[in-house]
Amino acid sequence: MTTLHVLHGAATYTLLVLMLGRLARAPHNLPLRAITVMIACWAASFTLGRAVAGGIAAIGLDPIETRLAQHLVQILGGYCLIAFYLCSALDAPVARRQAIRQAVPLAAAAVLMTVAAALIPAGLRDAAAVLPSADGAGPVGVPAIALLYLTVNGYLLYAFSAALLWTRRYAVGADPRLRRGLALTSVGLAGVVVALAIFIAANLVRWTGGTMPRTLVMVGILAVLCGLVLFLAGMAYPAVGMRLAALRIWWQHRALYRRLCPLWTLLHREFPEDTLNRMPISRWRDTFGLAGVHRRYYRRVIECRDGLVRVSPYLAPFGELPLARRLRGALAAHAAGVPAPTRAIPVAVPRGEGLDADVRELVALSDALGGTQKGVPRSTGLGVTGSTEPSR
Protein backbone atom coordinates (compact mmCIF):
# COMPACT_ATOMS: atom_id res chain seq x y z
CA MET A 1 0.00 0.00 0.00
CA THR A 2 1.11 3.54 -0.68
CA THR A 3 1.44 6.12 2.07
CA LEU A 4 -1.81 7.73 0.91
CA HIS A 5 -3.63 4.40 1.14
CA VAL A 6 -2.36 3.94 4.68
CA LEU A 7 -3.34 7.49 5.60
CA HIS A 8 -6.76 7.01 4.04
CA GLY A 9 -7.39 3.80 5.97
CA ALA A 10 -6.10 5.21 9.25
CA ALA A 11 -8.21 8.36 8.91
CA THR A 12 -11.32 6.34 8.03
CA TYR A 13 -11.09 3.94 10.95
CA THR A 14 -10.08 6.66 13.41
CA LEU A 15 -13.07 8.76 12.44
CA LEU A 16 -15.33 5.69 12.58
CA VAL A 17 -14.34 5.06 16.19
CA LEU A 18 -14.96 8.71 17.02
CA MET A 19 -18.38 8.71 15.33
CA LEU A 20 -19.44 5.46 16.97
CA GLY A 21 -18.64 7.03 20.34
CA ARG A 22 -20.75 10.06 19.52
CA LEU A 23 -23.58 7.90 18.18
CA ALA A 24 -23.61 5.87 21.40
CA ARG A 25 -24.29 9.11 23.29
CA ALA A 26 -26.97 10.32 20.84
CA PRO A 27 -28.47 7.24 19.14
CA HIS A 28 -31.57 9.09 17.91
CA ASN A 29 -29.66 11.82 16.06
CA LEU A 30 -30.56 11.17 12.40
CA PRO A 31 -27.71 13.18 10.78
CA LEU A 32 -25.25 11.47 13.10
CA ARG A 33 -26.66 8.07 12.16
CA ALA A 34 -26.31 8.84 8.46
CA ILE A 35 -22.73 10.09 8.65
CA THR A 36 -21.68 7.19 10.90
CA VAL A 37 -23.11 4.62 8.47
CA MET A 38 -21.38 6.44 5.62
CA ILE A 39 -17.99 6.22 7.33
CA ALA A 40 -18.65 2.56 8.21
CA CYS A 41 -19.34 1.93 4.51
CA TRP A 42 -16.09 3.62 3.57
CA ALA A 43 -14.21 1.53 6.12
CA ALA A 44 -15.77 -1.64 4.70
CA SER A 45 -15.00 -0.46 1.16
CA PHE A 46 -11.36 0.14 2.09
CA THR A 47 -11.06 -3.34 3.59
CA LEU A 48 -12.75 -5.05 0.64
CA GLY A 49 -10.64 -3.08 -1.84
CA ARG A 50 -7.41 -4.10 -0.13
CA ALA A 51 -8.61 -7.72 -0.05
CA VAL A 52 -9.17 -7.71 -3.83
CA ALA A 53 -5.85 -5.99 -4.48
CA GLY A 54 -4.06 -8.55 -2.35
CA GLY A 55 -5.84 -11.55 -3.90
CA ILE A 56 -7.50 -12.45 -0.59
CA ALA A 57 -10.90 -14.15 -0.59
CA ALA A 58 -13.27 -12.00 1.46
CA ILE A 59 -16.17 -13.67 3.31
CA GLY A 60 -16.24 -16.54 0.82
CA LEU A 61 -16.63 -14.37 -2.30
CA ASP A 62 -14.62 -14.63 -5.49
CA PRO A 63 -12.68 -11.50 -6.63
CA ILE A 64 -15.41 -9.97 -8.80
CA GLU A 65 -18.05 -10.60 -6.12
CA THR A 66 -15.79 -8.93 -3.58
CA ARG A 67 -15.36 -5.97 -5.94
CA LEU A 68 -19.14 -5.81 -6.41
CA ALA A 69 -19.61 -5.84 -2.62
CA GLN A 70 -17.11 -3.00 -2.37
CA HIS A 71 -18.99 -0.96 -4.98
CA LEU A 72 -22.32 -1.62 -3.28
CA VAL A 73 -21.08 -0.32 0.06
CA GLN A 74 -19.51 2.64 -1.77
CA ILE A 75 -22.81 3.74 -3.29
CA LEU A 76 -24.55 3.09 0.03
CA GLY A 77 -22.02 5.44 1.58
CA GLY A 78 -22.79 8.00 -1.12
CA TYR A 79 -26.49 7.68 -0.34
CA CYS A 80 -25.80 8.15 3.38
CA LEU A 81 -23.85 11.30 2.52
CA ILE A 82 -26.95 12.65 0.76
CA ALA A 83 -29.13 11.56 3.69
CA PHE A 84 -26.83 13.37 6.11
CA TYR A 85 -27.38 16.68 4.34
CA LEU A 86 -31.12 16.06 4.01
CA CYS A 87 -31.47 15.30 7.73
CA SER A 88 -29.31 18.30 8.64
CA ALA A 89 -31.19 20.82 6.50
CA LEU A 90 -34.82 19.65 6.56
CA ASP A 91 -37.43 18.76 9.14
CA ALA A 92 -37.56 15.06 9.94
CA PRO A 93 -40.77 14.23 7.97
CA VAL A 94 -39.57 16.13 4.88
CA ALA A 95 -36.09 14.61 5.17
CA ARG A 96 -37.56 11.11 5.29
CA ARG A 97 -39.64 11.71 2.16
CA GLN A 98 -36.64 13.10 0.32
CA ALA A 99 -34.50 10.20 1.51
CA ILE A 100 -37.04 7.72 0.12
CA ARG A 101 -36.93 9.50 -3.25
CA GLN A 102 -33.13 9.44 -3.20
CA ALA A 103 -33.24 5.68 -2.56
CA VAL A 104 -34.66 5.12 -6.06
CA PRO A 105 -31.42 5.96 -7.97
CA LEU A 106 -29.47 4.04 -5.30
CA ALA A 107 -31.56 0.91 -5.90
CA ALA A 108 -31.30 1.34 -9.68
CA ALA A 109 -27.52 1.61 -9.48
CA ALA A 110 -27.28 -1.45 -7.21
CA VAL A 111 -29.42 -3.55 -9.56
CA LEU A 112 -27.49 -2.38 -12.61
CA MET A 113 -24.12 -3.20 -11.03
CA THR A 114 -25.32 -6.61 -9.87
CA VAL A 115 -26.60 -7.51 -13.33
CA ALA A 116 -23.40 -6.22 -14.95
CA ALA A 117 -21.23 -8.30 -12.61
CA ALA A 118 -23.31 -11.39 -13.32
CA LEU A 119 -22.93 -10.90 -17.10
CA ILE A 120 -19.12 -10.71 -17.05
CA PRO A 121 -17.72 -13.72 -18.96
CA ALA A 122 -16.25 -16.43 -16.74
CA GLY A 123 -12.77 -16.07 -18.21
CA LEU A 124 -12.65 -12.34 -17.46
CA ARG A 125 -14.10 -12.22 -13.96
CA ASP A 126 -10.79 -12.25 -12.08
CA ALA A 127 -9.23 -9.71 -14.44
CA ALA A 128 -12.31 -7.49 -14.17
CA ALA A 129 -11.98 -7.46 -10.39
CA VAL A 130 -8.74 -5.49 -10.72
CA LEU A 131 -9.36 -1.81 -11.28
CA PRO A 132 -8.19 -0.73 -14.76
CA SER A 133 -4.57 0.30 -14.42
CA ALA A 134 -3.22 3.66 -15.42
CA ASP A 135 -1.86 2.37 -18.74
CA GLY A 136 -5.29 1.17 -19.88
CA ALA A 137 -4.61 -2.54 -19.58
CA GLY A 138 -7.37 -4.97 -18.69
CA PRO A 139 -10.67 -6.09 -20.23
CA VAL A 140 -12.21 -2.63 -19.95
CA GLY A 141 -13.77 -2.78 -23.41
CA VAL A 142 -16.25 -5.48 -22.44
CA PRO A 143 -19.67 -3.80 -22.03
CA ALA A 144 -20.56 -5.56 -18.76
CA ILE A 145 -17.26 -4.55 -17.14
CA ALA A 146 -17.46 -0.99 -18.40
CA LEU A 147 -21.05 -0.74 -17.18
CA LEU A 148 -20.05 -1.93 -13.70
CA TYR A 149 -17.44 0.77 -13.26
CA LEU A 150 -19.43 3.48 -15.02
CA THR A 151 -22.39 2.91 -12.74
CA VAL A 152 -20.49 3.14 -9.47
CA ASN A 153 -18.47 6.15 -10.62
CA GLY A 154 -21.55 7.89 -12.01
CA TYR A 155 -23.58 7.47 -8.83
CA LEU A 156 -20.71 8.59 -6.62
CA LEU A 157 -20.16 11.64 -8.85
CA TYR A 158 -23.81 12.57 -8.34
CA ALA A 159 -23.62 12.09 -4.56
CA PHE A 160 -20.35 13.98 -4.05
CA SER A 161 -21.34 16.82 -6.38
CA ALA A 162 -24.56 17.34 -4.45
CA ALA A 163 -22.63 17.21 -1.17
CA LEU A 164 -20.15 19.81 -2.44
CA LEU A 165 -22.94 22.23 -3.35
CA TRP A 166 -24.67 21.76 0.00
CA THR A 167 -21.39 22.16 1.89
CA ARG A 168 -20.63 25.50 0.25
CA ARG A 169 -24.18 26.65 0.96
CA TYR A 170 -24.01 25.70 4.65
CA ALA A 171 -20.57 27.28 5.10
CA VAL A 172 -22.12 30.73 4.73
CA GLY A 173 -22.93 32.08 8.18
CA ALA A 174 -21.44 29.11 10.07
CA ASP A 175 -19.41 29.73 13.23
CA PRO A 176 -15.62 29.94 12.70
CA ARG A 177 -14.77 26.43 13.87
CA LEU A 178 -17.49 24.83 11.74
CA ARG A 179 -16.61 27.07 8.80
CA ARG A 180 -13.00 25.89 8.88
CA GLY A 181 -14.16 22.28 8.97
CA LEU A 182 -16.53 22.87 6.04
CA ALA A 183 -13.72 24.53 4.09
CA LEU A 184 -11.60 21.39 4.47
CA THR A 185 -14.60 19.27 3.58
CA SER A 186 -15.24 21.36 0.45
CA VAL A 187 -11.67 20.98 -0.76
CA GLY A 188 -11.85 17.24 -0.21
CA LEU A 189 -15.20 16.95 -1.99
CA ALA A 190 -13.91 19.00 -4.91
CA GLY A 191 -10.94 16.66 -5.24
CA VAL A 192 -13.20 13.60 -5.21
CA VAL A 193 -15.55 15.15 -7.80
CA VAL A 194 -12.64 15.92 -10.13
CA ALA A 195 -11.27 12.39 -9.69
CA LEU A 196 -14.63 10.76 -10.39
CA ALA A 197 -15.07 12.87 -13.52
CA ILE A 198 -11.65 11.65 -14.70
CA PHE A 199 -12.55 8.04 -13.93
CA ILE A 200 -15.82 8.28 -15.85
CA ALA A 201 -14.00 9.78 -18.82
CA ALA A 202 -11.46 6.97 -18.61
CA ASN A 203 -14.23 4.34 -18.51
CA LEU A 204 -15.82 5.79 -21.63
CA VAL A 205 -12.54 6.14 -23.50
CA ARG A 206 -11.51 2.57 -22.71
CA TRP A 207 -14.96 1.23 -23.56
CA THR A 208 -14.60 2.69 -27.03
CA GLY A 209 -11.15 1.16 -27.42
CA GLY A 210 -9.11 4.29 -26.72
CA THR A 211 -6.34 4.85 -24.20
CA MET A 212 -6.57 7.39 -21.41
CA PRO A 213 -3.34 9.32 -20.75
CA ARG A 214 -1.56 7.70 -17.84
CA THR A 215 -0.73 11.05 -16.23
CA LEU A 216 -4.38 12.09 -16.18
CA VAL A 217 -5.48 8.82 -14.57
CA MET A 218 -2.74 9.13 -11.95
CA VAL A 219 -3.96 12.65 -11.20
CA GLY A 220 -7.43 11.18 -10.63
CA ILE A 221 -6.12 8.48 -8.27
CA LEU A 222 -4.12 11.04 -6.30
CA ALA A 223 -7.09 13.44 -6.20
CA VAL A 224 -9.52 10.84 -4.85
CA LEU A 225 -7.15 9.64 -2.12
CA CYS A 226 -6.22 13.16 -1.01
CA GLY A 227 -9.82 14.30 -1.36
CA LEU A 228 -11.17 11.54 0.87
CA VAL A 229 -8.53 12.23 3.54
CA LEU A 230 -9.34 15.96 3.47
CA PHE A 231 -13.06 15.23 3.54
CA LEU A 232 -12.66 13.02 6.61
CA ALA A 233 -10.43 15.64 8.23
CA GLY A 234 -13.04 18.32 7.58
CA MET A 235 -15.82 16.18 9.02
CA ALA A 236 -13.77 15.48 12.15
CA TYR A 237 -12.44 19.03 12.58
CA PRO A 238 -15.32 20.50 14.66
CA ALA A 239 -15.45 17.48 16.97
CA VAL A 240 -11.67 17.38 17.35
CA GLY A 241 -11.65 21.13 18.02
CA MET A 242 -14.20 20.66 20.78
CA ARG A 243 -12.18 17.83 22.28
CA LEU A 244 -9.02 19.95 22.25
CA ALA A 245 -10.87 22.83 23.90
CA ALA A 246 -12.21 20.44 26.52
CA LEU A 247 -8.71 19.06 27.07
CA ARG A 248 -7.38 22.61 27.54
CA ILE A 249 -10.01 23.29 30.22
CA TRP A 250 -9.25 19.94 31.83
CA TRP A 251 -5.57 20.86 32.05
CA GLN A 252 -6.36 24.28 33.51
CA HIS A 253 -8.62 22.77 36.16
CA ARG A 254 -6.04 20.13 37.02
CA ALA A 255 -3.32 22.79 37.43
CA LEU A 256 -5.54 25.05 39.54
CA TYR A 257 -6.67 22.10 41.64
CA ARG A 258 -3.06 21.38 42.53
CA ARG A 259 -2.20 25.04 43.14
CA LEU A 260 -5.05 25.27 45.65
CA CYS A 261 -3.52 22.41 47.63
CA PRO A 262 -1.59 24.54 50.23
CA LEU A 263 -4.67 26.59 51.13
CA TRP A 264 -6.98 23.59 51.09
CA THR A 265 -4.61 21.51 53.23
CA LEU A 266 -4.46 24.12 56.01
CA LEU A 267 -8.23 24.63 56.01
CA HIS A 268 -9.05 20.94 55.72
CA ARG A 269 -6.77 20.12 58.65
CA GLU A 270 -8.72 22.55 60.85
CA PHE A 271 -12.20 22.00 59.41
CA PRO A 272 -12.36 18.39 58.17
CA GLU A 273 -16.12 18.37 58.61
CA ASP A 274 -16.46 20.73 55.63
CA THR A 275 -15.23 18.05 53.22
CA LEU A 276 -17.86 17.48 50.56
CA ASN A 277 -16.66 13.98 49.76
CA ARG A 278 -14.89 12.15 52.54
CA MET A 279 -14.03 9.12 50.39
CA PRO A 280 -10.23 8.93 50.05
CA ILE A 281 -8.83 9.69 46.59
CA SER A 282 -5.65 7.87 45.61
CA ARG A 283 -2.67 9.84 44.39
CA TRP A 284 -2.84 7.88 41.11
CA ARG A 285 -6.43 8.98 40.47
CA ASP A 286 -5.62 12.52 41.58
CA THR A 287 -2.77 12.72 39.06
CA PHE A 288 -4.17 10.88 36.06
CA GLY A 289 -7.95 10.82 36.49
CA LEU A 290 -9.88 12.35 33.59
CA ALA A 291 -13.57 12.24 34.40
CA GLY A 292 -13.19 13.39 37.99
CA VAL A 293 -10.85 16.35 37.50
CA HIS A 294 -13.62 18.94 37.08
CA ARG A 295 -15.59 17.53 40.02
CA ARG A 296 -12.56 17.59 42.30
CA TYR A 297 -11.62 21.08 41.15
CA TYR A 298 -15.05 22.60 41.91
CA ARG A 299 -15.25 20.71 45.18
CA ARG A 300 -11.87 22.06 46.28
CA VAL A 301 -12.85 25.64 45.40
CA ILE A 302 -16.04 25.33 47.47
CA GLU A 303 -14.23 23.75 50.41
CA CYS A 304 -11.59 26.50 50.39
CA ARG A 305 -14.21 29.23 50.37
CA ASP A 306 -16.22 27.52 53.15
CA GLY A 307 -13.09 27.19 55.27
CA LEU A 308 -12.21 30.87 54.82
CA VAL A 309 -15.70 31.87 55.93
CA ARG A 310 -15.38 29.76 59.07
CA VAL A 311 -11.93 31.09 60.03
CA SER A 312 -12.57 34.71 59.05
CA PRO A 313 -13.75 35.87 62.53
CA TYR A 314 -10.24 35.08 63.87
CA LEU A 315 -8.47 37.35 61.36
CA ALA A 316 -9.33 40.68 62.99
CA PRO A 317 -6.72 40.63 65.82
CA PHE A 318 -3.85 40.26 63.35
CA GLY A 319 -4.23 43.80 62.00
CA GLU A 320 -2.43 44.77 58.79
CA LEU A 321 -0.28 41.69 58.36
CA PRO A 322 -0.31 40.05 54.92
CA LEU A 323 -3.33 37.84 54.50
CA ALA A 324 -1.31 34.62 54.37
CA ARG A 325 0.28 35.34 57.76
CA ARG A 326 -3.03 36.47 59.22
CA LEU A 327 -4.63 33.25 58.04
CA ARG A 328 -1.98 31.10 59.70
CA GLY A 329 -2.42 33.02 62.93
CA ALA A 330 -6.22 32.74 62.73
CA LEU A 331 -6.03 28.99 62.19
CA ALA A 332 -3.67 28.65 65.16
CA ALA A 333 -6.06 30.67 67.32
CA HIS A 334 -8.97 28.49 66.27
CA ALA A 335 -6.99 25.35 67.00
CA ALA A 336 -6.13 26.70 70.45
CA GLY A 337 -9.83 27.21 71.25
CA VAL A 338 -9.64 31.03 71.44
CA PRO A 339 -13.18 32.47 71.30
CA ALA A 340 -13.97 34.22 68.02
CA PRO A 341 -13.67 37.98 68.58
CA THR A 342 -16.09 38.98 65.79
CA ARG A 343 -18.45 37.65 63.17
CA ALA A 344 -17.49 36.32 59.77
CA ILE A 345 -15.90 38.93 57.50
CA PRO A 346 -15.13 38.93 53.76
CA VAL A 347 -11.78 37.30 52.89
CA ALA A 348 -9.97 37.30 49.53
CA VAL A 349 -12.87 39.13 47.92
CA PRO A 350 -12.76 38.72 44.11
CA ARG A 351 -12.29 41.83 41.99
CA GLY A 352 -14.73 40.71 39.32
CA GLU A 353 -17.84 38.63 38.78
CA GLY A 354 -18.02 34.88 38.37
CA LEU A 355 -16.18 31.81 39.54
CA ASP A 356 -12.97 32.62 37.67
CA ALA A 357 -12.49 35.85 39.61
CA ASP A 358 -13.05 34.00 42.89
CA VAL A 359 -10.57 31.29 41.94
CA ARG A 360 -7.93 33.90 41.07
CA GLU A 361 -8.04 35.22 44.64
CA LEU A 362 -7.99 31.76 46.19
CA VAL A 363 -5.06 30.65 44.05
CA ALA A 364 -3.10 33.82 44.83
CA LEU A 365 -3.64 33.19 48.54
CA SER A 366 -2.69 29.53 48.17
CA ASP A 367 0.50 30.50 46.29
CA ALA A 368 1.39 32.90 49.09
CA LEU A 369 0.87 30.17 51.68
CA GLY A 370 2.92 27.44 50.08
CA GLY A 371 3.99 28.33 46.52
CA THR A 372 3.03 26.36 43.44
CA GLN A 373 4.02 22.75 43.15
CA LYS A 374 7.02 21.93 41.04
CA GLY A 375 6.16 21.48 37.38
CA VAL A 376 2.67 23.02 37.59
CA PRO A 377 2.17 26.03 35.29
CA ARG A 378 1.75 29.32 37.18
CA SER A 379 -0.24 30.79 34.31
CA THR A 380 -3.59 29.39 33.21
CA GLY A 381 -6.51 30.50 31.17
CA LEU A 382 -7.95 32.22 34.24
CA GLY A 383 -5.15 34.76 34.22
CA VAL A 384 -3.62 33.66 37.53
CA THR A 385 -0.05 34.89 37.34
CA GLY A 386 1.25 33.58 40.62
CA SER A 387 1.28 36.90 42.47
CA THR A 388 2.85 36.50 45.89
CA GLU A 389 0.12 38.20 47.87
CA PRO A 390 -3.46 39.27 47.28
CA SER A 391 -4.30 42.89 48.01
CA ARG A 392 -6.96 42.02 50.53
Side-chain angles (χ1 to χ4, degrees):
M1 285 192 296
T2 65
T3 301
L4 280 175
H5 278 106
V6 173
L7 186 59
H8 172 211
T12 302
Y13 280 100
T14 300
L15 186 56
L16 177 60
V17 171
L18 175 63
M19 299 308 295
L20 286 174
R22 296 186 63 188
L23 184 62
R25 294 191 295 271
H28 302 295
N29 187 316
L30 290 179
L32 190 57
R33 284 186 193 176
I35 205 68
T36 303
V37 174
M38 182 201 75
I39 296 170
C41 288
W42 287 6
S45 171
F46 177 82
T47 302
L48 291 170
R50 300 319 305 170
V52 174
I56 302 172
I59 56 177
L61 303 177
D62 64 27
I64 192 60
E65 290 171 343
T66 304
R67 183 65 74 185
L68 175 62
Q70 180 195 18
H71 289 339
L72 289 175
V73 296
Q74 281 178 342
I75 64 171
L76 178 60
Y79 171 78
C80 290
L81 180 60
I82 294 174
F84 165 72
Y85 283 97
L86 292 176
C87 294
S88 299
L90 305 174
D91 294 333
V94 180
R96 287 192 181 94
R97 289 196 295 270
Q98 292 292 334
I100 292 173
R101 293 192 185 98
Q102 291 291 340
V104 174
L106 171 70
V111 170
L112 195 57
M113 287 192 303
T114 303
V115 172
L119 293 177
I120 296 175
L124 299 177
R125 293 177 67 83
D126 288 351
V130 180
L131 286 174
S133 60
D135 57 7
V140 291
V142 177
I145 299 174
L147 186 60
L148 173 63
Y149 289 108
L150 272 173
T151 303
V152 63
N153 289 333
Y155 183 85
L156 291 177
L157 178 62
Y158 163 71
F160 279 95
S161 298
L164 176 59
L165 293 176
W166 285 328
T167 300
R168 297 315 307 152
R169 183 184 305 168
Y170 296 152
V172 178
D175 65 81
R177 179 183 297 162
L178 179 58
R179 188 164 58 247
R180 288 190 292 269
L182 290 176
L184 273 177
T185 301
S186 299
V187 174
L189 288 171
V192 174
V193 167
V194 170
L196 289 169
I198 292 174
F199 294 158
I200 290 174
N203 295 150
L204 293 172
V205 169
R206 289 166 176 169
W207 192 0
T208 59
T211 301
M212 195 72 172
R214 176 185 176 86
T215 302
L216 189 58
V217 177
M218 292 302 297
V219 168
I221 294 173
L222 183 63
V224 74
L225 291 175
C226 293
L228 288 175
V229 170
L230 287 175
F231 174 82
L232 292 172
M235 295 295 293
Y237 184 87
V240 172
M242 291 178 63
R243 295 297 182 276
L244 291 176
L247 181 61
R248 186 164 54 250
I249 294 174
W250 174 87
W251 177 256
Q252 291 173 1
H253 283 182
R254 179 177 178 273
L256 292 170
Y257 171 81
R258 298 180 67 185
R259 288 181 66 183
L260 286 170
C261 186
L263 174 61
W264 178 85
T265 300
L266 289 176
L267 295 172
H268 175 69
R269 185 182 301 145
E270 194 62 30
F271 307 109
E273 66 274 13
D274 286 347
T275 304
L276 297 178
N277 183 358
R278 301 185 187 184
M279 294 297 294
I281 298 177
S282 68
R283 184 173 180 82
W284 179 269
R285 286 180 57 197
D286 180 60
T287 304
F288 298 104
L290 296 178
V293 165
H294 303 302
R295 173 182 55 82
R296 295 195 299 272
Y297 162 72
Y298 290 121
R299 188 185 66 206
R300 178 157 289 185
V301 170
I302 294 171
E303 290 173 355
C304 286
R305 181 53 70 184
D306 288 346
L308 288 177
V309 171
R310 288 171 65 89
V311 79
S312 64
Y314 295 86
L315 293 171
F318 295 95
E320 298 301 322
L321 292 175
L323 181 55
R325 295 178 61 186
R326 292 167 60 200
L327 180 59
R328 290 183 184 277
L331 288 170
H334 180 274
V338 177
T342 183
R343 295 182 178 181
I345 59 174
V347 181
V349 179
R351 296 179 175 85
E353 298 292 334
L355 178 64
D356 288 354
D358 196 20
V359 172
R360 273 193 290 270
E361 296 298 327
L362 294 177
V363 169
L365 175 57
S366 184
D367 288 349
L369 286 166
T372 54
Q373 296 186 26
K374 184 178 180 181
V376 179
R378 295 182 66 86
S379 178
T380 71
L382 292 177
V384 179
T385 59
S387 58
T388 57
E389 198 67 60
S391 61
R392 295 174 179 78

